[in-house]
């Protein structure tokens, strides 16, 4: 078990917890989650978290309040137990739709109109109490009529508030009046000050029969505010002890501003784009539709990324009450006639919006209607609505549990997001690298520090394996007929040197079905000399094990663009890419990445002799930025390199980034190889005239 990291799973989504930990090969922490008979939540951490980084997974589907309280107690328990850092992982953020925006009963945002009451020189405010002066501002002038005016006003209130009895001789100044106290209009003081005080007096007691207190009239423009649930939840998480928060597709991006701690908002957009590209036939002829104006930006981002048209559904008549929103009429802006319509939204709760939108789209001539949602809460009668609606398919992620929903709804399809969160956890590996580099043995050539004095070739395992369990350990390489020898053996030799100090495994994968026959570098070119090398695969693509890093070499065998082997390898890359820590291509191996669609919107490079051929292998809609002059290009977890020897340099550069430059230098010295550390050093770009 990893020493310095503990992953705790809440009770909201056990399946997602297990998926994430399986991807990372990290066991779920031992925690007791239950309830007392009175209904109170009980959380008990069953293992030590002292000095460790704790990650708590808790979504907010189902019993939102119970899950939130459970998360808060778990965070507090970990901080009390001296955890070094606590990160809350919330795939669906609770109360994310209750943003802190002032509104009035008509649903319009509040604004203070200019009037005589809110001008700077108006003497009264809503709270007429002396304000503490700001250090950079002069004190206020106080009351406009001074302290004497205040005292005089209080005396007049005392007069009016006196309980008067004309038969009681103890009434002092009223004793000479047989019919009670004088009227305000009969006194000189009232005649003088009546005009100046009339705006503060609402009524006057006459003959002691009745009295109504003076009422202060607040400044117009102060209206009711929506309950600040967003700020409250942010404060609760922070006060409980959370040091970091991660979520996915926040309904309202302003939520991140409510926190004083870092908040990572992951996007489900790439997952939805991949589904559209791979699962919807002729997606270029379809149209992306936003079900409301609020999601227009999200939908247009997907439409622009895929080169698809866009339409918008607008609520034509704004409802005046929250309960009337579902009755607002809808209007389509755009043309969907004869097209497949793809509704894109971040969340569906009751599904009223998407089902009404689907009906409208079908009435406007759409042939099919898909709904793609990041969070499928689907509460209440949402499933029944979907089953009875015009929707042909509803695609959601499993950010909240979907097992029961899927049993009841044949239209529902669920996308896995566990690998996305696992990729986020993969970034934690960087925190281990200083520990690796701090071991002096790790920076020395293997032959100088044998673990067995009687064997000069014994491998050195001077690093505690528990320290390396978070770094990539499972490597694979795709080998195909007519692969380029140095594209494969160069990076593999660098990894051989790394394996002396870092436990790791290697799988050699073949695209040939049901066969582990040796694969040769021999090409089918008639003038080929017949001198070649062979390599024996260990797995087919069907039985390939889980991998952290995949190497994709180049070779003449990849120029058969329509071949079955190329198609199968591209499909394999597309399938495993989300769960990979890194993928490294050499030479025209980048063409397989382009065909798999993983280079969409990214920068990459390739062999310069066949540069144009590789560029043509990618779809135009992917908008790949092909760098003409580069030894290698790094974009996220994708590393692409130029031809042959550049594969060794990109492997060492990746090694330096992941394991530390000292480790990469040690491996290069062990190979007696002079590293090219400048990624832009590419003399062959000029040789082949592409720049």
């Amino acid at each position: 078990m990893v020493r310095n990291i503990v992953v705790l799973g809440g009770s909201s989504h056990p399946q997602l917890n297990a998926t994430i930990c399986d991807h990372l090969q990290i066991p779920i922490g031992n925690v007791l989650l239950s309830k007392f008979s009175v209904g109170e939540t009980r959380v008990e951490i069953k293992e030590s978290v002292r000095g460790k980084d704790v990650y708590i997974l808790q979504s907010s589907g189902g019993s939102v309040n119970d899950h939130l309280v459970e998360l808060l107690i778990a965070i507090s328990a970990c901080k009390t137990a001296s955890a070094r850092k606590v990160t809350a992982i919330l795939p669906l953020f609770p109360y994310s739709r209750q943003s802190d925006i002032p509104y009035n009963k008509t649903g319009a945002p509040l604004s203070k109109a200019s009037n005589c009451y809110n001008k700077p020189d108006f003497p009264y405010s809503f709270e007429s109490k002396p304000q503490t002066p700001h250090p950079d501002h002069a004190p206020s002038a106080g009351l406009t009529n001074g302290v004497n005016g205040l005292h005089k006003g209080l005396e007049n209130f005392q007069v009016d508030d006196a309980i008067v009895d004309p038969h009681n001789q103890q009434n002092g100044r009223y004793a000479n009046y047989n019919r009670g106290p004088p009227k305000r209009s009969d006194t000189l003081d009232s005649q003088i000050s009546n005009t100046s005080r009339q705006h503060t007096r609402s009524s006057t007691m006459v003959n002691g029969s009745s009295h109504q207190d003076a009422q202060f009239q607040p400044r117009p423009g102060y209206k009711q505010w929506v309950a600040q649930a967003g700020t409250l939840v942010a404060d609760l998480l922070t006060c409980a002890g959370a040091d970091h928060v991660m979520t996915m597709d926040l309904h309202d991006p302003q939520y991140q501003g409510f926190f004083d701690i870092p908040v990572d908002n992951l996007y489900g957009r790439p997952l939805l784009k991949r589904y559209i590209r791979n699962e919807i036939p002729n997606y270029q002829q379809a149209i992306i539709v936003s079900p409301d104006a609020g999601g227009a930006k999200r939908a247009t981002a997907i439409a622009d990324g895929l080169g698809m048209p866009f339409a918008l559904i607008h609520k034509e008549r704004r409802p005046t009450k929250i309960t009337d929103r579902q009755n607002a009429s809808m209007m389509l802006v755009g043309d969907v006639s004869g097209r497949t319509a793809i509704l894109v939204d971040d969340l569906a709760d009751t599904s009223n919006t998407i089902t009404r939108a689907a009906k409208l789209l079908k009435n406007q001539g759409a042939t099919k209607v898909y709904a793609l949602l990041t969070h499928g809460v689907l509460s209440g009668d949402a499933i029944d609505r979907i089953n009875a609606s015009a929707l042909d398919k509803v695609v959601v992620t499993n950010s909240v549990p979907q097992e029961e929903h899927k049993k009841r709804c044949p239209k529902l399809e669920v996308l896995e997001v566990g690998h996305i969160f696992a990729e986020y956890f993969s970034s934690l590996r960087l925190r281990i690298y200083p520990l690796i580099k701090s071991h002096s043995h790790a920076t020395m050539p293997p032959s100088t520090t044998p673990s067995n004095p009687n064997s000069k070739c014994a491998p050195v395992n001077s690093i505690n394996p528990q320290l390396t369990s978070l770094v990539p350990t499972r490597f694979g390489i795709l080998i195909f007929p007519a692969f380029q020898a140095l594209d494969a053996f160069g990076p593999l030799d660098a990894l051989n040197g790394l394996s002396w100090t870092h436990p790791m495994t290697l799988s050699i994968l073949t695209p040939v079905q049901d066969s582990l026959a040796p694969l040769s570098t021999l090409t089918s070119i008639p003038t080929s000399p017949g001198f070649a090398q062979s390599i024996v695969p260990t797995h087919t693509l069907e039985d390939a094990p889980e991998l952290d890093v995949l190497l994709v070499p180049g070779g003449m065998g990849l120029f058969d663009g329509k071949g079955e082997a190329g198609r199968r390898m591209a499909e394999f890359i597309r399938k495993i890419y989300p769960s990979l820590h890194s993928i490294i291509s050499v030479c025209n191996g980048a063409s397989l990445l382009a065909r798999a669609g993983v280079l969409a919107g990214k920068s990459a490079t390739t062999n310069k002799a066949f540069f144009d051929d590789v560029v043509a292998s990618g779809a135009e809609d992917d908008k790949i930025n092909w760098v003409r002059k580069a030894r290698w290009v790094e974009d996220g977890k994708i590393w692409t390199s130029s031809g042959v020897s550049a594969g060794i340099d990109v492997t060492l550069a990746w090694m330096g980034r992941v394991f530390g430059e000292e480790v990469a230098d040690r491996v290069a010295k062990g190979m007696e190889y002079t590293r090219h550390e400048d990624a832009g050093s590419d003399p062959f770009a000029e040789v082949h005239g592409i720049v």
Side-chain angles (χ1 to χ4, degrees):
M1 186 177 68
V2 181
R3 286 188 185 180
N4 55 345
I5 284 184
V6 175
V7 179
L8 302 178
S11 61
S12 64
H13 203 338
Q15 183 267 331
L16 183 61
N17 301 340
T19 300
I20 293 174
C21 290
D22 287 345
H23 272 288
L24 297 169
Q25 292 189 321
I26 297 176
I28 298 179
N30 189 5
V31 58
L32 173 64
L33 304 172
S34 62
K35 283 185 176 295
F36 293 103
S37 58
V38 72
E40 295 179 355
T41 300
R42 178 189 180 191
V43 177
E44 184 177 344
I45 312 298
K46 292 286 191 176
E47 62 181 87
S48 174
V49 296
R50 180 179 295 275
K52 300 179 182 179
D53 290 353
V54 181
Y55 298 84
I56 305 176
L57 306 168
Q58 183 79 305
S59 195
S60 65
S63 303
V64 179
N65 296 330
D66 287 344
H67 296 155
L68 177 59
V69 171
E70 182 179 276
L71 174 64
L72 295 173
I73 296 175
I75 293 172
S76 178
C78 292
K79 295 300 285 189
T80 303
S82 301
R84 191 183 76 89
K85 179 181 178 182
V86 178
T87 299
I89 313 296
L90 299 108
L92 173 57
F93 196 90
Y95 291 86
S96 61
R97 291 191 295 171
Q98 298 191 35
S99 55
D100 295 2
I101 300 176
Y103 72 99
N104 55 30
K105 290 184 178 180
T106 63
L110 291 182
S111 61
K112 292 190 291 184
S114 177
N115 55 56
C116 63
Y117 297 103
N118 59 15
K119 290 181 179 179
D121 57 348
F122 187 72
Y124 300 110
S125 65
F126 183 74
E127 294 181 356
S128 52
K129 62 182 180 181
Q131 300 292 329
T132 302
H134 191 275
D136 298 330
H137 297 94
S140 62
L143 298 173
T144 56
N145 54 354
V147 178
N148 293 333
L150 176 62
H151 290 169
K152 189 173 182 179
L154 291 175
E155 291 175 359
N156 291 328
F157 274 113
Q158 291 173 359
V159 171
D160 291 340
D161 289 343
I163 301 176
V164 179
D165 184 355
H167 303 290
N168 187 352
Q169 300 298 320
Q170 304 297 324
N171 279 334
R173 57 189 294 192
Y174 296 150
N176 295 327
Y177 295 90
N178 294 328
R179 291 180 295 177
K183 296 181 180 179
R184 292 184 70 250
S185 58
D186 295 337
T187 63
L188 179 62
D189 179 66
S190 296
Q191 292 173 356
I192 296 174
S193 61
N194 181 58
T195 303
S196 63
R197 297 202 308 265
Q198 61 183 357
H199 70 280
T200 63
R201 307 284 298 276
S202 60
S203 65
T204 305
M205 180 182 66
V206 179
N207 295 329
S209 59
S210 65
H211 175 75
Q212 183 176 355
D213 293 337
Q215 295 181 355
F216 176 77
Q217 299 297 326
R219 180 191 305 178
Y222 285 85
K223 307 277 186 179
Q224 70 275 13
W225 284 64
V226 66
Q228 295 183 330
T231 303
L232 176 61
V233 172
D235 290 343
L236 286 172
L237 289 169
T238 305
C239 293
D243 301 293
H244 196 177
V245 172
M246 186 186 72
T247 185
M248 172 176 276
D249 275 357
L250 273 173
H251 183 73
D252 198 334
Q254 72 171 335
Y255 248 81
Q256 297 177 75
F258 299 160
F259 286 88
D260 295 327
I261 57 177
V263 178
D264 290 337
N265 182 27
L266 303 185
Y267 295 110
R269 187 185 309 151
L271 194 64
L272 302 182
K273 288 172 61 177
R274 188 177 302 116
Y275 179 88
I276 293 172
R277 184 186 293 112
N278 298 334
E279 303 297 333
I280 297 181
N282 299 320
Y283 72 91
Q284 297 92 342
Q285 306 303 319
I287 183 170
I288 301 293
V289 182
S290 174
D292 53 35
K297 186 175 181 180
R298 181 185 310 107
T300 52
I302 293 179
D304 292 342
L306 296 174
M308 299 172 61
F310 166 75
L312 170 70
I313 293 178
H314 173 64
K315 288 186 173 66
E316 188 176 8
R317 183 177 64 256
R318 186 72 178 177
T320 57
K321 297 180 181 179
I322 295 178
T323 55
D324 292 341
R325 287 182 182 176
Q326 61 182 1
N327 299 321
S329 60
M330 306 176 82
M331 178 177 64
L332 177 65
V333 181
D335 182 18
V336 299
S337 179
R339 294 176 180 266
T340 297
I342 305 172
L343 287 164
V344 175
D345 208 351
D346 66 319
L347 186 146
D349 187 1
T350 62
S351 299
N352 178 71
T353 299
I354 60 170
T355 53
R356 294 186 64 215
K359 181 179 179 181
L360 176 62
L361 293 172
K362 282 291 182 75
N363 291 338
Q364 295 295 322
T367 56
K368 282 189 176 182
V369 179
Y370 290 76
L372 271 62
L373 313 163
T374 303
H375 307 297
V377 179
L378 307 181
S379 62
D381 59 350
I383 295 296
D384 296 332
R385 283 181 176 172
I386 292 174
N387 289 335
S389 71
L391 288 165
D392 294 286
K393 181 170 287 189
V394 177
V395 181
V396 299
T397 72
N398 65 336
S399 60
V400 295
Q402 301 291 347
E403 291 81 3
E404 294 300 321
H405 296 159
K406 199 168 183 180
K407 292 177 182 178
R408 296 174 52 202
C409 183
K411 298 181 180 181
L412 193 66
E413 185 170 346
V414 181
L415 303 180
E416 176 64 57
V417 295
H419 61 270
I420 296 179
F421 289 94
E423 284 186 36
Y424 168 80
F425 274 90
S426 296
S427 65
L428 305 177
R429 300 170 180 177
L430 295 175
R431 185 177 40 73
I432 302 299
Y433 305 149
L435 296 177
I436 296 174
K437 292 190 291 182
S438 66
H439 288 255
S440 60
H441 293 80
T443 62
M444 300 175 65
S447 60
T448 62
T449 55
S451 59
N452 183 355
N454 297 323
S455 175
K456 294 183 179 181
C457 298
V460 179
N461 289 317
S462 59
I463 300 176
N464 191 328
Q466 292 178 332
L467 292 177
T468 62
S469 58
L470 286 183
V471 298
T473 59
R474 302 170 298 182
F475 290 75
I477 184 170
L478 277 175
I479 296 297
F480 47 88
F483 69 95
Q484 180 68 33
L486 193 57
D487 288 1
F489 297 128
L492 286 179
D493 198 34
L495 294 177
N496 287 341
L498 179 66
S499 68
W500 282 71
T501 53
H502 296 75
M504 47 197 290
T505 60
L506 175 65
S507 301
I508 302 174
L509 311 177
T510 174
V512 181
Q513 285 184 299
D514 304 323
S515 174
L516 295 179
L519 297 171
S520 171
T521 60
L522 188 65
T523 70
S524 58
I525 300 176
T527 57
S528 176
F531 183 85
Q533 301 81 42
S534 298
I535 190 170
V536 179
T538 60
H539 299 82
T540 64
L541 299 183
E542 287 73 22
D543 63 359
E546 292 188 2
L547 301 174
D548 297 324
V549 180
L550 179 66
L551 296 173
V552 183
M556 298 300 293
L558 293 182
F559 286 111
D560 184 10
K562 298 182 180 179
E564 178 65 16
R567 185 195 65 78
R568 288 168 50 79
M569 287 189 289
E571 180 64 29
F572 175 76
I573 293 173
R574 183 184 303 117
K575 177 182 177 181
I576 71 166
Y577 170 76
S579 62
L580 290 175
H581 173 278
S582 302
I583 185 168
I584 304 171
S585 72
V586 184
C587 196
N588 64 332
S591 64
L592 280 179
L593 275 60
R595 292 175 61 186
V598 302
L599 292 181
K602 295 184 177 295
S603 297
T605 194
T606 184
N607 173 279
K608 303 308 182 291
F610 305 104
F611 187 86
D612 293 335
D613 295 323
V614 175
V615 170
S617 64
E620 293 183 5
D621 294 339
D622 287 347
K623 297 180 180 179
I624 304 172
N625 177 30
W626 290 104
V627 182
R628 291 181 171 271
K629 184 177 181 179
R631 195 169 188 85
W632 73 83
V633 172
E634 173 193 1
D635 193 337
K637 64 179 182 180
I638 299 178
W639 298 66
T640 54
S641 76
S642 186
V644 194
S645 63
I648 301 176
D649 292 316
V650 72
T651 304
L652 291 173
W654 172 86
M655 197 180 298
R657 175 64 57 84
V658 175
F659 294 91
E661 290 297 330
E662 294 177 358
V663 175
D665 288 339
R666 174 187 60 77
V667 171
K669 291 177 182 178
M671 299 171 63
E672 295 191 1
Y673 179 79
T674 301
R675 292 180 60 186
H676 293 81
E677 300 187 47
D678 181 7
S681 175
D682 185 15
F684 296 100
E686 286 87 358
V687 170
H688 294 287
I690 66 171
V691 293

